[in-house]
Amino acid sequence: MRKIFLNLFLLPLAVISLASCTYEKMLEKFTPKEEAQYAENFLESVRENNYEEVYNQLHPSAKSQLTEEKFNEIYNYLPTENLLSKKIIGSQTSTINDEWSGLFTFEYSFENSKWLLAQASVIRQNASLSVTSFYFQVTDKSLKEVYKFTLRGKQVKHYLILLLAIINPLISIFTLIVCIRTPKMKRKVLWCILILIGIMILKINWTTGELSLNPLYFSLLSAGVTTSPYSPWIISISLPIGVIAFWIKRLISSKHKQETPNEEKLGNTTREGE
């Protein structure tokens, strides 16, 4: 039994680790190559201080916002150290009213432990591409380092939610097994479904500690986690209402069974006295 619970505890962590390892492969597979290359070339033009090239690639709605003075401010903000590496770390695309758009995120590594986060929003209109907006942020760490999972320096709320995110699925699975093995139980299938569901989702951003509550949502096994190498861990818990209801029902049924034999025994004693 101890081994089973240990495996149940390690299984979510193994799944998360596998998902993190394959993130880059999935990103490479689903990122549109032409549009991503267009965004990368645009950002390189900014880094190369090529104002004319950048201006020509901007969407008409964005050209009025980029003066030469503003462009020089952006260029002077960028690291001047030698570039060590560059890779795409994010790709989001959508199509609304036959208009395609995409947001591409790149991470640059420079000497002297400097990092640069760069984004470009690309739009396709009449078979031509243009950039509607772009963004740069200089950091001292890679996003992988910023968002890595660690227990150091966390608050009580972090540990409490993490503990419940581990306990809730274990209790749900244990209760499900008890429910399945309970003989002559009415509506057993419905109870099994209810046991697996938690209501009201409380989420915590593991990096910032920000909490958010979604009272109208539900989750499987009353817990969840989402992450990627370049985004924060979001750990969530729910109220295991099905589990709570099952054990209340079981407790009531157990008391009822204990009281029934006593009543029968009392009745028999009374009849014998008569």
Side-chain angles (χ1 to χ4, degrees), residues 247-263:
W247 288 110
I248 291 176
K249 179 182 182 302
R250 188 177 176 87
L251 179 61
I252 295 174
S253 299
S254 178
K255 286 184 176 181
H256 179 71
K257 289 179 181 179
Q258 291 176 0
E259 292 172 356
T260 301
N262 292 334
E263 292 175 356

Side-chain angles (χ1 to χ4, degrees), residues 25 73 82 198 229 236 270:
K25 293 182 180 179
E73 289 180 9
N82 292 330
S236 62
T270 303

Side-chain angles (χ1 to χ4, degrees), residues 9-215:
F9 170 73
L10 294 177
L11 180 59
L13 298 180
V15 172
I16 293 169
S17 298
L18 179 62
S20 298
C21 293
T22 58
Y23 176 82
E24 284 83 1
K25 293 182 180 179
M26 296 294 291
L27 182 63
E28 181 180 358
K29 180 178 180 180
F30 292 103
T31 297
K33 300 299 185 293
E34 178 186 355
E35 292 81 357
Q37 188 63 55
Y38 185 89
E40 182 178 350
N41 293 341
F42 175 87
L43 295 172
E44 283 300 304
S45 296
V46 178
R47 291 186 58 246
E48 294 169 358
N49 198 22
N50 192 337
Y51 173 75
E52 183 178 351
E53 183 68 22
V54 170
Y55 187 84
N56 290 334
Q57 294 183 63
L58 282 176
H59 188 267
S61 62
K63 288 183 176 181
S64 60
Q65 304 177 36
L66 187 68
T67 62
E68 280 199 66
E69 182 180 357
K70 181 64 176 178
F71 178 81
N72 290 331
E73 289 180 9
I74 296 173
Y75 174 76
N76 292 329
Y77 169 75
L78 302 179
T80 57
E81 288 82 359
N82 292 330
L83 179 65
L84 300 178
S85 65
K86 173 183 61 177
K87 60 182 176 182
I88 185 170
I89 62 172
S91 173
Q92 301 175 15
T93 62
S94 63
T95 302
I96 301 176
N97 297 328
D98 296 328
E99 184 176 272
W100 182 94
S101 62
L103 175 64
F104 302 98
T105 306
F106 299 84
E107 188 176 64
Y108 299 75
S109 173
F110 298 88
E111 290 182 345
N112 300 327
S113 300
K114 281 195 175 182
W115 298 80
L116 177 66
L117 186 67
Q119 287 184 334
S121 297
V122 179
I123 192 172
R124 181 184 292 277
Q125 290 180 328
N126 300 324
S128 62
L129 296 172
S130 60
V131 174
T132 57
S133 65
F134 61 99
Y135 167 84
F136 291 100
Q137 181 180 359
V138 178
T139 64
D140 295 327
K141 296 179 180 179
S142 165
L143 284 188
K144 275 189 176 182
E145 183 69 17
V146 172
Y147 294 136
K148 75 175 182 179
F149 185 84
T150 178
L151 296 176
R152 293 182 179 179
K154 300 305 177 182
Q155 303 175 23
V156 174
K157 61 183 178 182
H158 287 83
Y159 299 121
L160 181 59
I161 292 179
L162 177 61
L163 181 62
L164 290 175
I166 295 173
I167 292 176
N168 281 2
L170 297 180
I171 293 178
S172 298
I173 294 174
F174 174 74
T175 304
L176 178 64
I177 295 173
V178 174
C179 179
I180 293 174
R181 298 182 65 178
T182 301
K184 299 180 181 180
M185 183 178 179
K186 296 181 179 179
R187 301 182 181 89
K188 181 177 290 189
V189 175
L190 179 59
W191 273 106
C192 289
I193 296 174
L194 290 176
I195 287 169
L196 294 175
I197 295 176
I199 63 172
M200 294 191 301
I201 298 180
L202 177 63
K203 297 181 179 180
I204 184 170
N205 183 315
W206 194 257
T207 302
T208 65
E210 180 183 359
L211 295 173
S212 63
L213 178 64
N214 298 317

